[in-house]
Amino acid sequence: MSSITADSSSAAAGRSALRGVLVAFSAYAVFAFSDASIKILHGVVPSYQVAFIGALFGFAAVPFLKRREDGWLDVVKTSNRPLWLLRFICGATGAICSVIAFTKLPMAEAFALLFLLPSFVTILSVIFLKEDVRWQRWTAVILGFVGVLIVLRPGFRELSIGHFCAAIGGLAAAISIVINRALGSKEKRISLYGAGLFGTLVVSGFLMLSEVMAPTATQWIFLASYGLLGALGNVLLMNAAHMAPANLVAPPQYSQMLWAIVFGYLLFNDSIDMPMAFGIVLIIFSGLLTLARERKRGTPLPAAVAGNTQAALATAQEDEPATPER
Protein backbone atom coordinates (compact mmCIF):
# COMPACT_ATOMS: atom_id res chain seq x y z
CA MET A 1 0.00 0.00 0.00
CA SER A 2 2.83 2.37 0.90
CA SER A 3 4.42 1.63 -2.49
CA ILE A 4 1.22 2.69 -4.28
CA THR A 5 1.07 5.90 -2.22
CA ALA A 6 4.72 6.68 -3.00
CA ASP A 7 4.16 6.07 -6.71
CA SER A 8 1.08 8.31 -6.64
CA SER A 9 3.00 11.09 -4.88
CA SER A 10 5.89 10.75 -7.33
CA ALA A 11 3.53 10.96 -10.31
CA ALA A 12 1.80 14.02 -8.82
CA ALA A 13 5.17 15.69 -8.23
CA GLY A 14 6.16 14.91 -11.82
CA ARG A 15 2.96 16.47 -13.17
CA SER A 16 3.48 19.53 -11.00
CA ALA A 17 7.07 19.90 -12.21
CA LEU A 18 5.95 19.61 -15.84
CA ARG A 19 3.34 22.32 -15.30
CA GLY A 20 5.99 24.45 -13.63
CA VAL A 21 8.32 24.14 -16.62
CA LEU A 22 5.50 24.99 -19.04
CA VAL A 23 4.56 28.03 -16.94
CA ALA A 24 8.24 29.05 -16.94
CA PHE A 25 8.35 28.88 -20.74
CA SER A 26 5.21 31.04 -20.80
CA ALA A 27 6.82 33.54 -18.43
CA TYR A 28 9.94 33.89 -20.56
CA ALA A 29 7.78 34.34 -23.66
CA VAL A 30 5.93 37.14 -21.85
CA PHE A 31 9.25 38.78 -20.97
CA ALA A 32 10.31 38.57 -24.62
CA PHE A 33 7.11 40.35 -25.67
CA SER A 34 7.82 42.96 -22.99
CA ASP A 35 11.31 43.50 -24.38
CA ALA A 36 9.96 43.72 -27.92
CA SER A 37 7.63 46.51 -26.76
CA ILE A 38 10.72 48.55 -25.85
CA LYS A 39 12.24 48.07 -29.27
CA ILE A 40 9.00 48.93 -31.08
CA LEU A 41 9.24 52.40 -29.51
CA HIS A 42 12.52 52.84 -31.47
CA GLY A 43 13.95 55.19 -28.86
CA VAL A 44 11.26 57.83 -29.54
CA VAL A 45 10.46 57.92 -25.82
CA PRO A 46 13.62 58.65 -23.75
CA SER A 47 15.08 55.52 -22.14
CA TYR A 48 14.93 56.98 -18.62
CA GLN A 49 11.24 57.71 -19.07
CA VAL A 50 10.57 54.21 -20.41
CA ALA A 51 12.30 52.69 -17.35
CA PHE A 52 10.36 55.01 -15.00
CA ILE A 53 6.97 54.18 -16.53
CA GLY A 54 7.84 50.48 -16.63
CA ALA A 55 8.63 50.58 -12.90
CA LEU A 56 5.29 52.28 -12.19
CA PHE A 57 3.46 49.48 -13.97
CA GLY A 58 5.73 47.00 -12.18
CA PHE A 59 3.83 47.70 -8.95
CA ALA A 60 1.01 45.62 -10.43
CA ALA A 61 3.00 42.49 -9.47
CA VAL A 62 3.36 43.42 -5.77
CA PRO A 63 -0.02 42.02 -4.57
CA PHE A 64 0.80 38.68 -6.22
CA LEU A 65 4.40 38.51 -4.94
CA LYS A 66 3.28 39.40 -1.39
CA ARG A 67 2.95 36.39 0.88
CA ARG A 68 0.21 36.07 3.47
CA GLU A 69 2.54 36.86 6.35
CA ASP A 70 4.07 39.90 4.59
CA GLY A 71 3.03 43.46 5.36
CA TRP A 72 2.78 46.16 2.70
CA LEU A 73 5.62 48.10 4.36
CA ASP A 74 7.88 45.09 3.87
CA VAL A 75 8.42 46.44 0.34
CA VAL A 76 10.87 48.93 1.88
CA LYS A 77 11.90 47.04 5.03
CA THR A 78 15.08 44.99 5.12
CA SER A 79 17.37 43.06 7.42
CA ASN A 80 20.44 44.67 5.83
CA ARG A 81 20.03 48.26 4.63
CA PRO A 82 23.44 48.59 2.87
CA LEU A 83 22.80 45.50 0.71
CA TRP A 84 19.19 46.63 0.11
CA LEU A 85 20.52 49.97 -1.15
CA LEU A 86 23.01 48.18 -3.39
CA ARG A 87 20.08 46.24 -4.89
CA PHE A 88 18.30 49.60 -5.20
CA ILE A 89 21.18 50.88 -7.37
CA CYS A 90 21.54 47.62 -9.32
CA GLY A 91 17.81 47.53 -10.04
CA ALA A 92 17.93 51.01 -11.54
CA THR A 93 21.13 50.33 -13.47
CA GLY A 94 19.87 47.04 -14.86
CA ALA A 95 16.49 48.43 -15.92
CA ILE A 96 17.87 51.55 -17.61
CA CYS A 97 20.72 49.70 -19.33
CA SER A 98 18.38 46.97 -20.58
CA VAL A 99 16.02 49.55 -22.09
CA ILE A 100 18.94 51.23 -23.88
CA ALA A 101 20.32 47.87 -25.07
CA PHE A 102 17.02 46.71 -26.58
CA THR A 103 16.53 50.12 -28.17
CA LYS A 104 19.98 50.25 -29.80
CA LEU A 105 20.74 46.60 -30.65
CA PRO A 106 19.10 43.73 -32.52
CA MET A 107 17.16 41.72 -29.94
CA ALA A 108 19.26 38.56 -30.35
CA GLU A 109 22.47 40.54 -29.89
CA ALA A 110 21.13 42.26 -26.75
CA PHE A 111 20.14 38.91 -25.25
CA ALA A 112 23.52 37.39 -26.15
CA LEU A 113 25.24 39.97 -23.96
CA LEU A 114 22.66 39.84 -21.18
CA PHE A 115 23.10 36.06 -21.08
CA LEU A 116 26.59 36.65 -19.68
CA LEU A 117 24.77 36.90 -16.34
CA PRO A 118 25.67 33.34 -15.16
CA SER A 119 29.36 33.98 -15.93
CA PHE A 120 29.25 37.24 -13.97
CA VAL A 121 27.56 35.44 -11.06
CA THR A 122 30.34 32.84 -10.98
CA ILE A 123 33.09 35.48 -10.92
CA LEU A 124 31.37 37.65 -8.31
CA SER A 125 30.60 34.62 -6.12
CA VAL A 126 34.30 33.76 -6.03
CA ILE A 127 35.30 37.33 -5.16
CA PHE A 128 32.64 38.23 -2.60
CA LEU A 129 31.18 34.94 -1.32
CA LYS A 130 34.45 32.98 -1.47
CA GLU A 131 32.73 30.12 -3.29
CA ASP A 132 34.85 27.17 -4.37
CA VAL A 133 34.62 27.20 -8.17
CA ARG A 134 36.21 24.31 -10.02
CA TRP A 135 37.46 23.94 -13.56
CA GLN A 136 34.07 23.03 -15.06
CA ARG A 137 32.51 26.36 -14.09
CA TRP A 138 35.61 28.30 -15.14
CA THR A 139 35.38 26.52 -18.48
CA ALA A 140 31.79 27.73 -18.78
CA VAL A 141 32.88 31.30 -17.99
CA ILE A 142 35.62 31.21 -20.62
CA LEU A 143 33.24 29.78 -23.24
CA GLY A 144 30.76 32.55 -22.48
CA PHE A 145 33.30 35.31 -23.01
CA VAL A 146 34.66 33.64 -26.16
CA GLY A 147 31.10 33.58 -27.47
CA VAL A 148 30.74 37.30 -26.75
CA LEU A 149 33.96 38.07 -28.60
CA ILE A 150 32.67 36.11 -31.61
CA VAL A 151 29.34 37.96 -31.52
CA LEU A 152 30.92 41.41 -31.13
CA ARG A 153 34.08 40.89 -33.20
CA PRO A 154 35.76 44.03 -31.84
CA GLY A 155 37.92 45.66 -34.48
CA PHE A 156 35.76 44.21 -37.25
CA ARG A 157 32.43 45.67 -36.20
CA GLU A 158 31.52 49.04 -34.76
CA LEU A 159 30.52 48.78 -31.10
CA SER A 160 27.91 51.11 -29.63
CA ILE A 161 26.49 52.31 -26.34
CA GLY A 162 23.95 49.48 -26.71
CA HIS A 163 26.67 46.82 -26.39
CA PHE A 164 28.09 48.53 -23.32
CA CYS A 165 24.65 48.85 -21.69
CA ALA A 166 23.75 45.21 -22.38
CA ALA A 167 26.94 44.03 -20.64
CA ILE A 168 26.37 46.42 -17.71
CA GLY A 169 22.74 45.25 -17.47
CA GLY A 170 23.88 41.64 -17.15
CA LEU A 171 26.48 42.61 -14.56
CA ALA A 172 23.93 44.59 -12.51
CA ALA A 173 21.56 41.61 -12.48
CA ALA A 174 24.44 39.34 -11.45
CA ILE A 175 25.31 41.61 -8.52
CA SER A 176 21.65 41.48 -7.47
CA ILE A 177 21.73 37.67 -7.46
CA VAL A 178 24.94 37.61 -5.40
CA ILE A 179 23.26 40.00 -2.93
CA ASN A 180 20.30 37.61 -2.74
CA ARG A 181 22.68 34.76 -1.92
CA ALA A 182 24.50 36.84 0.69
CA LEU A 183 21.23 37.77 2.41
CA GLY A 184 19.94 34.21 2.39
CA SER A 185 16.35 33.24 3.14
CA LYS A 186 15.96 35.81 5.94
CA GLU A 187 15.20 38.59 3.46
CA LYS A 188 11.65 38.72 2.15
CA ARG A 189 11.16 38.49 -1.60
CA ILE A 190 8.82 41.48 -1.56
CA SER A 191 11.61 43.57 0.03
CA LEU A 192 14.11 42.59 -2.66
CA TYR A 193 11.55 43.33 -5.35
CA GLY A 194 10.82 46.70 -3.77
CA ALA A 195 14.52 47.63 -3.72
CA GLY A 196 14.87 47.25 -7.48
CA LEU A 197 11.50 48.82 -8.20
CA PHE A 198 12.05 51.92 -6.09
CA GLY A 199 15.63 52.19 -7.33
CA THR A 200 14.39 52.36 -10.92
CA LEU A 201 11.69 54.89 -10.02
CA VAL A 202 14.00 57.22 -8.14
CA VAL A 203 17.06 57.10 -10.40
CA SER A 204 15.25 57.11 -13.75
CA GLY A 205 12.76 59.67 -12.44
CA PHE A 206 15.60 62.04 -11.58
CA LEU A 207 17.47 61.45 -14.86
CA MET A 208 14.40 61.95 -17.06
CA LEU A 209 13.63 65.43 -15.72
CA SER A 210 15.72 67.07 -18.44
CA GLU A 211 13.84 65.42 -21.32
CA VAL A 212 10.31 64.44 -20.38
CA MET A 213 7.93 64.00 -23.30
CA ALA A 214 4.21 63.28 -23.55
CA PRO A 215 3.77 59.84 -25.16
CA THR A 216 1.12 59.42 -27.83
CA ALA A 217 -1.78 57.01 -27.31
CA THR A 218 0.02 54.35 -29.37
CA GLN A 219 3.23 54.82 -27.41
CA TRP A 220 1.30 54.44 -24.14
CA ILE A 221 0.08 51.05 -25.36
CA PHE A 222 3.65 49.81 -25.80
CA LEU A 223 4.82 51.42 -22.56
CA ALA A 224 1.99 49.68 -20.71
CA SER A 225 2.85 46.46 -22.55
CA TYR A 226 6.47 46.73 -21.39
CA GLY A 227 5.58 47.35 -17.74
CA LEU A 228 2.52 45.13 -17.32
CA LEU A 229 3.97 42.17 -19.23
CA GLY A 230 7.10 42.46 -17.10
CA ALA A 231 4.92 42.31 -13.99
CA LEU A 232 2.96 39.36 -15.40
CA GLY A 233 6.22 37.55 -16.17
CA ASN A 234 7.27 37.89 -12.53
CA VAL A 235 3.97 36.44 -11.31
CA LEU A 236 4.17 33.53 -13.74
CA LEU A 237 7.75 32.75 -12.69
CA MET A 238 6.76 32.85 -9.03
CA ASN A 239 4.05 30.27 -9.72
CA ALA A 240 6.46 28.19 -11.78
CA ALA A 241 8.91 28.17 -8.84
CA HIS A 242 6.13 26.87 -6.57
CA MET A 243 5.35 24.01 -8.97
CA ALA A 244 8.87 22.93 -9.96
CA PRO A 245 12.41 23.08 -8.54
CA ALA A 246 14.48 26.13 -9.53
CA ASN A 247 16.89 23.92 -11.48
CA LEU A 248 14.00 23.16 -13.86
CA VAL A 249 12.60 26.68 -13.96
CA ALA A 250 15.87 28.46 -14.81
CA PRO A 251 17.03 26.76 -18.07
CA PRO A 252 13.91 27.67 -20.14
CA GLN A 253 15.05 31.31 -19.94
CA TYR A 254 17.21 30.62 -22.99
CA SER A 255 14.03 30.17 -25.03
CA GLN A 256 13.98 33.96 -25.08
CA MET A 257 16.69 33.80 -27.73
CA LEU A 258 14.28 32.02 -30.08
CA TRP A 259 11.69 34.73 -29.48
CA ALA A 260 14.36 37.37 -30.09
CA ILE A 261 15.30 35.82 -33.44
CA VAL A 262 11.64 35.53 -34.50
CA PHE A 263 10.79 39.10 -33.47
CA GLY A 264 13.99 40.40 -35.02
CA TYR A 265 13.21 38.76 -38.35
CA LEU A 266 9.48 39.53 -38.50
CA LEU A 267 9.32 43.00 -36.91
CA PHE A 268 12.73 44.66 -37.01
CA ASN A 269 14.50 43.30 -40.12
CA ASP A 270 17.35 41.98 -37.97
CA SER A 271 19.74 39.45 -39.43
CA ILE A 272 22.17 36.96 -37.87
CA ASP A 273 25.27 35.80 -39.72
CA MET A 274 27.03 32.49 -39.08
CA PRO A 275 29.75 33.82 -36.73
CA MET A 276 27.11 35.55 -34.61
CA ALA A 277 24.97 32.40 -34.53
CA PHE A 278 27.99 30.36 -33.41
CA GLY A 279 28.80 32.90 -30.69
CA ILE A 280 25.20 32.84 -29.44
CA VAL A 281 25.29 29.04 -29.25
CA LEU A 282 28.52 29.22 -27.20
CA ILE A 283 27.00 31.74 -24.79
CA ILE A 284 23.88 29.64 -24.29
CA PHE A 285 25.96 26.48 -23.84
CA SER A 286 28.07 28.34 -21.28
CA GLY A 287 24.98 29.35 -19.31
CA LEU A 288 23.46 25.88 -19.39
CA LEU A 289 26.77 24.35 -18.28
CA THR A 290 26.86 26.77 -15.33
CA LEU A 291 23.29 25.87 -14.40
CA ALA A 292 24.10 22.15 -14.57
CA ARG A 293 27.15 22.55 -12.33
CA GLU A 294 25.29 24.70 -9.79
CA ARG A 295 22.43 22.21 -9.73
CA LYS A 296 24.90 19.43 -8.91
CA ARG A 297 26.45 21.52 -6.12
CA GLY A 298 23.08 22.62 -4.75
CA THR A 299 23.89 26.29 -5.32
CA PRO A 300 20.97 28.76 -5.74
CA LEU A 301 20.63 29.22 -9.47
CA PRO A 302 20.98 32.42 -11.45
CA ALA A 303 17.52 33.69 -12.23
CA ALA A 304 15.87 34.95 -15.37
CA VAL A 305 17.39 37.33 -17.85
CA ALA A 306 14.95 39.88 -19.16
CA GLY A 307 14.61 43.51 -20.04
CA ASN A 308 12.79 43.80 -16.73
CA THR A 309 15.55 42.72 -14.37
CA GLN A 310 13.06 42.30 -11.55
CA ALA A 311 12.52 38.83 -13.02
CA ALA A 312 15.44 37.72 -10.88
CA LEU A 313 13.20 37.73 -7.82
CA ALA A 314 10.62 35.31 -9.12
CA THR A 315 12.95 32.35 -8.64
CA ALA A 316 15.59 33.81 -6.31
CA GLN A 317 15.09 33.30 -2.57
CA GLU A 318 12.47 30.64 -3.24
CA ASP A 319 13.27 28.42 -0.28
CA GLU A 320 9.99 26.56 -0.28
CA PRO A 321 10.16 23.10 -1.92
CA ALA A 322 7.95 22.55 -4.90
CA THR A 323 4.89 20.56 -3.94
CA PRO A 324 2.30 18.89 -6.14
CA GLU A 325 -0.87 20.86 -6.66
CA ARG A 326 -4.03 19.43 -5.11
Side-chain angles (χ1 to χ4, degrees):
M1 186 71 176
S2 60
S3 175
I4 295 175
T5 303
D7 289 343
S8 177
S9 297
S10 177
R15 288 194 296 271
S16 178
L18 176 60
R19 284 195 293 270
V21 171
L22 293 176
V23 171
F25 272 110
S26 299
Y28 296 123
V30 167
F31 280 126
F33 276 85
S34 173
D35 299 329
S37 299
I38 300 173
K39 193 164 182 61
I40 287 174
L41 291 170
H42 293 298
V44 176
V45 180
S47 297
Y48 302 134
Q49 189 172 349
V50 173
F52 178 83
I53 294 172
L56 284 178
F57 282 114
F59 278 104
V62 172
F64 301 96
L65 294 173
K66 178 179 175 292
R67 289 171 174 164
R68 186 172 301 175
E69 65 273 17
D70 294 340
W72 291 106
L73 289 179
D74 286 333
V75 176
V76 293
K77 288 182 179 179
T78 177
S79 60
N80 189 316
R81 185 59 65 184
L83 288 182
W84 190 92
L85 289 173
L86 184 55
R87 259 209 57 84
F88 178 100
I89 295 169
C90 288
T93 303
I96 293 170
C97 284
S98 296
V99 169
I100 295 173
F102 282 109
T103 300
K104 302 291 185 183
L105 298 177
M107 286 193 70
E109 198 164 341
F111 270 122
L113 291 170
L114 288 168
F115 281 148
L116 277 177
L117 185 153
S119 295
F120 286 140
V121 169
T122 297
I123 295 170
L124 293 173
S125 295
V126 171
I127 296 173
F128 296 105
L129 302 182
K130 309 302 180 185
E131 285 189 5
D132 178 26
V133 175
R134 300 187 178 180
W135 68 268
Q136 294 96 331
R137 288 174 73 192
W138 284 123
T139 300
V141 170
I142 293 169
L143 284 175
F145 282 104
V146 169
V148 168
L149 288 176
I150 294 173
V151 169
L152 297 184
R153 281 163 281 171
F156 297 92
R157 297 178 62 221
E158 182 179 354
L159 302 184
S160 69
I161 186 66
H163 296 100
F164 175 76
C165 285
I168 294 299
L171 179 59
I175 293 173
S176 295
I177 291 171
V178 172
I179 292 171
N180 295 350
R181 292 181 177 179
L183 289 171
S185 59
K186 60 186 176 183
E187 191 76 358
K188 293 184 176 180
R189 180 177 54 218
I190 194 173
S191 173
L192 292 169
Y193 185 81
L197 206 61
F198 281 109
T200 304
L201 278 175
V202 172
V203 175
S204 61
F206 175 77
L207 292 174
M208 78 177 194
L209 291 178
S210 61
E211 51 174 343
V212 178
M213 64 161 288
T216 65
T218 301
Q219 289 165 352
W220 269 114
I221 291 173
F222 291 114
L223 288 168
S225 173
Y226 163 57
L228 292 176
L229 288 179
L232 175 61
N234 278 292
V235 175
L236 288 173
L237 269 184
M238 180 191 71
N239 282 284
H242 278 298
M243 297 179 206
N247 54 47
L248 296 179
V249 172
Q253 68 184 280
Y254 291 98
S255 65
Q256 291 177 105
M257 183 60 75
L258 297 177
W259 287 107
I261 293 171
V262 171
F263 286 142
Y265 178 77
L266 295 178
L267 299 178
F268 308 118
N269 295 317
D270 294 341
S271 61
I272 297 178
D273 57 23
M274 286 304 297
M276 185 181 295
F278 180 66
I280 288 172
V281 169
L282 273 183
I283 294 168
I284 292 175
F285 178 74
S286 163
L288 291 174
L289 181 59
T290 299
L291 293 176
R293 292 302 304 171
E294 296 202 335
R295 175 186 180 184
K296 187 174 181 179
R297 296 175 68 249
T299 305
L301 296 173
V305 176
N308 184 338
T309 53
Q310 296 305 308
L313 299 176
T315 52
Q317 299 302 109
E318 192 62 52
D319 52 2
E320 299 175 3
T323 55
E325 293 183 318
R326 299 185 184 278

